[in-house]
């Protein structure tokens, strides 16, 4: 006996879940979204809300981008897909990304090209430096209020949900804006959303998924559904799963993912025989840790007056490369010499001019120095002593790097692009000497914005068994499913975009 019956049950009220729910409602399905926390939006609330939708005709001038260019870029970056289902998924992404952009725009979700957001490898065939990464414009919080008024009594739960949304009058971050817009659309389309409701198991009949058990304060509800979509995120914060699958050493505190990103989608799928893949992959990004929390290090790593070194004091990568590549290089390096953690070694110009984790330029809390979160020393010798870095190695690396900075050319790792200034002098804005005391150092870890492996799915986001057969009634989008983008990150916004595209495909393409 089941208590509630719907056409589509969505597990996870993040951006992907809300989008799927809205799209399904617009096709006439009855939909229930269950969200484990007291808030909709998931990890998107914490991010930039960037959406990499190549081939779209909104961000650039018409005709400047195409599906063919997007396919060329993905092929030159990731190579040929490893098998037929992967090829079909990639094709489906490229085909659907522009459709999704159009669908969002036609659903009154305002999109514009994110400024300065280029493909991560602009030199590759098919890459674009503008127009593919879209962001959502702000939304007036009062709009949500209006849509509450328009709600029918049957979806009264949404009234509560919307009333509880802790959104400011005008939303600030683009991630939060995207969520607010999607919630607004969901509400307007009559989606039913249960907060503080956790899917704890899938219901099966024969070899088909037919619903799920959902736990709430008031008890357990058996929800019957023709289709269940797992949009429940990944396992970035599960120490046990990290240790089982990710390269070692690893620590959940290095993840930027939300505390509840514990692999529940993965577990639900596996319990009904779903296959998994690429579980050793994550959305890598170098981080530092302060107060037990990870902070992405992007701009601080690229600042001219700093270098990244291993325990031997040696540089081993271009610090300005995409974060994904730098974090991978740390693990790679670790095979020979300890590079997890590595150290970002800086001079005082760096600390005075650049944000470092939670600390603004020029402002390093005394407590952080006392706690050893950051090391300060008046000489490089003392810095080596305090950090345990090899002294000769560190001094040699700094002298060599300072030489590169003087000549404007990093012979070792090609950091930045050398160019000539008006007087014909060689310069390279990414290189600056490390010679102004005091000197600083922080530990850098190969962190992530979530796991990248997961359940195996096909081009319609249907979950597959190890023999390649479809688990009827069960769909998943990345994080719960494995990412399409194995081995490299094509652009900012690729993770969120592929999740939304998969959600869209699950409900709009093929009906099971
Ligand atoms: C700090 C940070 C910054 C990021 N920045 C970007 C960016 O700029 N661009 C980009 O492309 N990607 C970014 N990402 C990744 C991006 O946030 C994710 O790709 C995106 O959030 C995926 O959305 P989703 O809805 O699929 O999953 P999530 O946002 O992970 O949402 C899953 C939801 O499911 C709920 N849930 C889990 N298990 C259950 C259960 N059993 N029952 C009920 N509910 C459950 C969770 O509570 C959560 O709300 C970032 C991630 C982080 C952590």
């Amino acid at each position: 006996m089941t208590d509630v019956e719907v056409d589509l049950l969505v597990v996870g009220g993040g951006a992907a879940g809300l989008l799927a729910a809205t799209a399904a409602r617009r096709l006439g399905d009855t939909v229930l979204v269950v969200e484990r926390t007291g808030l909709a939006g998931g990890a998107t609330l914490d991010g930039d809300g960037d959406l990499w939708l190549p081939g779209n005709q909104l961000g650039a001038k018409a005709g400047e981008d195409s599906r063919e260019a997007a396919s060329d870029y993905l092929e030159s970056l990731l190579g040929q897909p490893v098998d037929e289902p992967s090829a079909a998924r990639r094709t489906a992404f490229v085909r659907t990304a522009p459709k999704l952009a159009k669908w969002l725009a036609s659903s009154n979700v305002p999109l514009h090209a994110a400024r300065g957001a280029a493909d991560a490898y602009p030199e590759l065939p098919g890459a674009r430096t503008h127009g593919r990464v879209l962001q959502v414009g702000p939304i007036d919080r009062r709009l949500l209020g209006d849509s509450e008024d328009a709600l029918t009594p049957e979806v009264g739960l949404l009234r509560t949900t919307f009333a509880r949304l802790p959104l400011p009058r005008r939303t600030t971050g683009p991630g939060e804006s995207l969520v607010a817009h999607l919630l607004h659309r969901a509400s307007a389309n009559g989606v039913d959303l249960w907060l503080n409701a956790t899917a704890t198991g899938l219901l099966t009949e024969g070899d088909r998924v037919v619903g799920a058990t959902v736990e709430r304060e008031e008890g357990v509800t058996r929800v019957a559904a023709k289709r269940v979509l797992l949009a429940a995120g990944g396992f970035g914060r599960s120490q046990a799963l990290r240790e089982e699958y990710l390269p070692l050493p690893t620590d959940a505190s290095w993840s930027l993912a939300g505390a509840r990103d514990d692999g529940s989608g993965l577990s639900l799928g596996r319990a009904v025989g779903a296959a998994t893949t690429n579980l050793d992959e994550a959305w890598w990004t170098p981080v530092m840790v302060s107060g037990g929390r990870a902070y992405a290090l992007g701009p601080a790593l690229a600042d001219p007056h700093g270098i990244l070194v291993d325990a031997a004091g040696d540089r081993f990568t271009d610090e300005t490369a995409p974060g994904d590549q730098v974090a991978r290089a740390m693990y790679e390096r670790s095979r020979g010499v300890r590079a997890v953690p590595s150290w970002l070694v800086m001079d005082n110009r760096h600390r005075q001019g650049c944000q470092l984790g939670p600390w603004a330029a020029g402002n390093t809390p005394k407590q952080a120095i006392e706690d050893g979160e950051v090391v300060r020393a008046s000489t490089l010798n003392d810095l080596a002593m305090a950090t345990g870095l090899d002294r000769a190695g560190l001094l040699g690396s700094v002298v060599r790097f300072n030489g590169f900075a003087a000549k404007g050319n990093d012979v070792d790792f090609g950091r930045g692009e050398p160019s000539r200034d008006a007087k014909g002098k060689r310069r390279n804005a990414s290189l600056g000497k490390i010679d102004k005391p005091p000197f600083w150092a922080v530990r850098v870890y190969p962190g992530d914005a979530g796991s990248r492996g997961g359940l195996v799915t096909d081009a319609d986001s249907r979950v597959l068994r190890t023999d390649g057969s479809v688990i009827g009634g069960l769909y998943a989008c990345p994080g719960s499913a494995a990412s399409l983008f194995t081995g490299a990150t094509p652009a900012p916004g690729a993770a969120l975009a592929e999740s939304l595209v998969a959600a869209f495909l699950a409900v709009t393409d093929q009906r099971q």
Side-chain angles (χ1 to χ4, degrees), residues 10-19 33-52 133 135 175 179 182 194 196-201 213-215 230-234 255-258 260-266 268 283 285 293-294 296 448-451 477-480 489 491-500 503:
V10 180
V11 179
L18 293 172
L19 181 125
V33 179
V34 292
E35 165 54 46
R36 176 162 68 174
T37 69
L39 276 181
T44 304
L45 288 174
D46 301 325
D48 292 336
D50 287 343
L51 283 173
W52 188 65
V133 181
Q135 274 186 349
V179 169
L182 290 173
W194 292 358
N196 301 308
T198 306
T200 48
T213 47
V214 176
E215 276 185 24
L230 299 175
S255 182
L256 301 168
R260 302 225 176 157
D261 204 50
D262 65 356
S264 104
L266 190 71
L268 288 168
W283 294 97
T285 187
R293 204 187 133 183
D448 57 80
S451 53
C477 39
S480 298
T489 299
L496 182 53
E498 70 161 333
S499 206
L500 297 197

Side-chain angles (χ1 to χ4, degrees), residues 40-223:
T44 304
L45 288 174
D46 301 325
D48 292 336
D50 287 343
L51 283 173
W52 188 65
L53 296 174
N56 79 76
Q57 301 301 312
L58 302 171
K61 287 188 198 129
E64 270 183 358
D65 198 4
S66 64
R67 290 174 194 175
E68 293 70 27
S71 294
D72 287 350
Y73 177 59
L74 286 175
E75 186 159 333
S76 50
L77 178 64
L78 307 173
Q80 292 277 350
V82 289
D83 51 27
E84 200 282 318
S86 309
R89 278 185 79 200
R90 193 186 291 177
T91 304
F93 174 81
V94 168
R95 195 186 62 230
T96 311
K99 277 192 201 167
L100 177 60
K102 215 168 155 188
W103 183 88
L104 285 166
S106 73
S107 308
N108 293 324
V109 177
L111 294 167
H112 59 266
R115 268 212 202 151
D119 286 351
Y121 301 85
E123 68 286 2
L124 291 181
R128 293 288 182 272
T129 53
H130 177 77
R132 283 185 174 167
V133 181
L134 300 179
Q135 274 186 349
V136 172
I139 183 171
D140 192 322
R141 171 75 171 82
R142 284 165 293 191
L143 254 185
L144 299 174
D146 289 342
S147 56
E148 255 183 272
D149 291 341
L151 289 174
T152 57
E154 297 86 70
V155 285
L157 256 165
L158 264 179
R159 278 179 184 282
T160 329
T161 305
F162 276 75
R164 272 194 261 154
L165 263 181
L167 293 169
R169 283 240 135 176
R170 284 190 76 77
T171 57
T172 46
E176 193 183 65
S177 279
L178 174 60
V179 169
H181 276 291
L182 290 173
L183 266 171
H184 183 221
R185 292 294 93 211
S187 127
N189 283 283
V191 167
D192 210 354
L193 167 62
W194 292 358
L195 294 177
N196 301 308
T198 306
T200 48
L202 295 173
L203 304 173
T204 52
E205 250 173 49
D207 57 3
R208 219 186 139 78
V209 168
V210 294
T213 47
V214 176
E215 276 185 24
R216 292 185 289 166
E217 218 176 79
E218 41 280 58
V220 177
T221 308
R222 288 165 61 84
V223 179

Side-chain angles (χ1 to χ4, degrees), residues 200-485:
T200 48
L202 295 173
L203 304 173
T204 52
E205 250 173 49
D207 57 3
R208 219 186 139 78
V209 168
V210 294
T213 47
V214 176
E215 276 185 24
R216 292 185 289 166
E217 218 176 79
E218 41 280 58
V220 177
T221 308
R222 288 165 61 84
V223 179
K226 290 188 187 127
R227 286 168 298 146
V228 176
L229 172 65
L230 299 175
F235 64 85
R237 292 302 284 270
S238 162
Q239 184 63 26
L241 290 174
R242 289 181 78 94
E243 282 177 15
E244 192 170 352
Y245 296 114
L246 294 185
L248 297 174
T250 189
D251 198 289
S253 70
W254 305 346
S255 182
L256 301 168
R260 302 225 176 157
D261 204 50
D262 65 356
S264 104
L266 190 71
S267 309
L268 288 168
R270 283 214 284 213
V272 294
T276 56
T277 188
N278 295 331
L279 292 175
D280 58 345
E281 279 273 348
W283 294 97
W284 302 113
T285 187
V287 299
M288 60 167 281
V289 174
S290 171
R293 204 187 133 183
Y295 293 86
L297 268 179
L301 269 183
D303 187 89
H305 302 284
I307 53 174
L308 187 69
V309 296
D310 59 24
D314 293 329
R315 287 179 71 215
F316 54 93
T317 190
D318 169 7
E319 294 87 346
T320 65
D324 175 71
Q325 213 171 295
V326 174
R328 287 173 195 274
M330 290 170 69
Y331 276 120
E332 190 66 29
R333 183 70 171 181
S334 277
R335 292 176 190 195
V337 52
R338 192 152 61 82
V340 179
S342 296
W343 288 84
L344 174 61
V345 172
M346 302 152 273
D347 82 358
N348 204 42
R349 275 172 297 200
H350 188 298
R351 195 61 291 267
Q352 290 304 314
C354 185
Q355 174 93 21
L356 183 62
W359 310 315
N363 179 11
T364 315
K366 234 173 150 190
Q367 193 63 46
I369 299 172
E370 280 170 21
D371 293 348
E373 286 183 352
V374 59
V375 177
R376 182 179 61 184
S378 10
T379 65
L380 286 166
N381 252 325
D382 290 350
L383 195 77
M385 286 279 285
T387 52
L389 288 169
D390 183 84
R391 192 183 69 87
L394 178 63
L395 294 183
S397 296
V398 170
V399 168
R400 192 168 169 80
F401 182 76
N402 287 352
F404 295 159
K407 292 196 176 123
N409 195 8
D410 171 12
V411 173
D412 289 345
F413 301 104
R415 175 167 160 164
E417 287 294 316
S419 61
R420 292 191 184 274
D421 67 13
K423 291 180 186 157
K425 274 196 168 172
R426 219 177 154 82
R427 60 182 309 278
N428 181 333
S430 80
L431 300 176
K433 286 187 179 175
I434 301 171
D435 59 1
K436 292 274 182 282
F439 298 96
W440 301 84
V442 287
R443 291 175 193 80
V444 180
Y445 300 94
D448 57 80
S451 53
R452 204 190 290 229
L455 306 174
V456 177
T457 50
D458 71 5
D460 297 319
S461 308
R462 298 180 302 181
V463 177
L464 305 181
R465 298 187 183 84
T466 40
D467 64 5
S469 63
V470 170
I471 301 181
L474 187 62
Y475 296 74
C477 39
S480 298
S483 168
L484 282 171
F485 307 123

